[in-house]
Amino acid sequence: MSWRIAATSAIGTSHTKNGQPCQDSVRVRLVQTPNGSVLISAVSDGAGSAAHSEIGSRAAVTTATYLIENFLEAGGSVGAIERGGVLSWLAQIQMAISSFASEAGASTREFACTLLVAVIAAEEAVFFQVGDGAMVVREEGDEGWSYIFWPQHGEYINSTNFITASDAADVLEFAAVSRRIESFSAFSDGIENLVLHYATKSVHDPFFNNMIAPVRQALNEGLDDELSASLLNYLNSERVCARTDDDKSLVLATRHEPTLVSADATS
């Protein structure tokens, strides 16, 4: 069993028009453990009003995945990850961003960003999130997709929580599950309107079923560069940009289990 993955971030048309960089960041890693491959996914959306949020989002996903990789490589298991440990990681991520802010002589508010993280092993997984965007999963045997946490929005749709805020630890959502997740996706708020139904608070299954199909057919384990490039082209397409002018991040991952060929079939 292994993972097939496509992941990318695409700049929004409004950012291009305003001469702003893409403020989204994505990082995915596969860690080999004695119990099999563990998928680590981190997505971060920099605040549009923050001058250096693209640096903040990049620091967030890099630091988060680095900390989790180190934990697993030191013998830690996904089942051993608890909220207290995640809060410790959050504090270290905040310290990393504060370091960048100090070097730039700027406030940490100028590096404001969200963070969505998934750590998925064979039969267990951990998720944590601060801010909007969402992570969705399809479990083994299920036809539909379900969200882990509903996007964190305030009174207004464009307001959310950031990991640089003083109350980030209070608003962090954490979930540990002991289930076999067949497919996974994470995305920033740039495509929320395309993939979530706000009225019914549900996931638009056809979108994810269509998008995960080519990932399942990938030949190589891990992040597929060609599929990720195709995903970037899709997110930059007129069809998508007509519905959203924001930066867009998307991670698609699915398990791949080789088909066993019987002795009769080879004789």
Side-chain angles (χ1 to χ4, degrees):
M1 184 276 296
S2 59
W3 287 94
R4 303 296 190 259
I5 310 164
T8 194
S9 295
I11 190 169
T13 54
S14 63
H15 286 225
T16 301
K17 290 177 183 177
N18 296 329
Q20 294 177 300
C22 179
Q23 295 168 323
D24 276 15
S25 295
V26 168
R27 194 165 191 255
V28 293
R29 306 291 290 169
L30 274 183
V31 178
Q32 302 300 326
T33 73
N35 296 317
S37 297
V38 175
L39 170 68
I40 306 171
S41 165
V43 173
S44 179
D45 177 8
S49 59
H52 305 295
S53 65
E54 75 279 6
I55 299 174
S57 69
R58 189 163 58 248
V61 299
T62 301
T63 307
T65 53
Y66 172 80
L67 290 169
I68 298 167
E69 281 186 88
N70 281 354
F71 171 80
L72 295 173
E73 290 172 353
S77 67
V78 175
I81 300 174
E82 299 178 340
R83 183 181 178 88
V86 169
L87 290 177
S88 175
W89 289 337
L90 175 63
Q92 293 177 72
I93 295 166
Q94 290 173 323
M95 288 176 59
I97 293 175
S98 294
S99 178
F100 281 107
S102 296
E103 291 177 8
S107 165
T108 55
R109 289 193 300 272
E110 298 303 319
F111 295 76
C113 57
T114 65
L115 182 62
L116 301 82
V117 176
V119 190
I120 308 175
E123 303 289 343
E124 53 197 4
V126 163
F127 306 90
F128 57 94
Q129 176 170 338
V130 174
D132 51 19
M135 296 177 282
V136 298
V137 298
R138 187 171 67 187
E139 296 181 26
E140 191 172 45
D142 289 350
E143 295 183 3
W145 295 71
S146 57
Y147 62 86
I148 302 298
F149 313 111
W150 194 250
Q152 295 179 1
H153 289 296
E155 183 179 355
Y156 304 101
I157 192 68
N158 289 327
S159 63
T160 191
N161 299 310
F162 299 112
I163 60 171
T164 49
S166 59
D167 66 344
D170 298 326
V171 300
L172 179 140
E173 295 186 88
F174 172 85
V177 302
S178 296
R179 299 192 296 271
R180 185 173 178 80
I181 293 170
E182 175 197 84
S183 299
F184 164 83
S185 181
F187 50 91
S188 62
D189 77 318
I191 63 168
E192 277 182 22
N193 290 333
L194 282 69
V195 301
L196 297 177
H197 298 297
Y198 289 99
T200 57
K201 216 170 183 181
S202 60
V203 180
H204 184 54
D205 290 339
F207 175 88
F208 292 103
N209 288 336
N210 290 335
M211 296 298 289
I212 206 70
V215 182
R216 185 173 293 109
Q217 300 303 316
L219 297 177
N220 298 317
E221 180 181 15
L223 185 65
D224 189 297
D225 291 337
E226 186 175 341
L227 274 178
S228 298
S230 296
L231 183 59
L232 178 61
N233 289 336
Y234 169 75
L235 294 178
N236 282 329
S237 69
E238 184 176 344
R239 175 185 177 186
V240 173
C241 292
R243 299 183 61 186
T244 174
D245 64 356
D246 198 3
D247 294 339
K248 304 163 287 290
S249 290
L250 183 59
V251 176
L252 298 163
T254 189
R255 296 181 187 273
H256 174 83
E257 298 189 52
T259 301
L260 295 178
V261 179
S262 67
D264 291 343
T266 59
S267 60

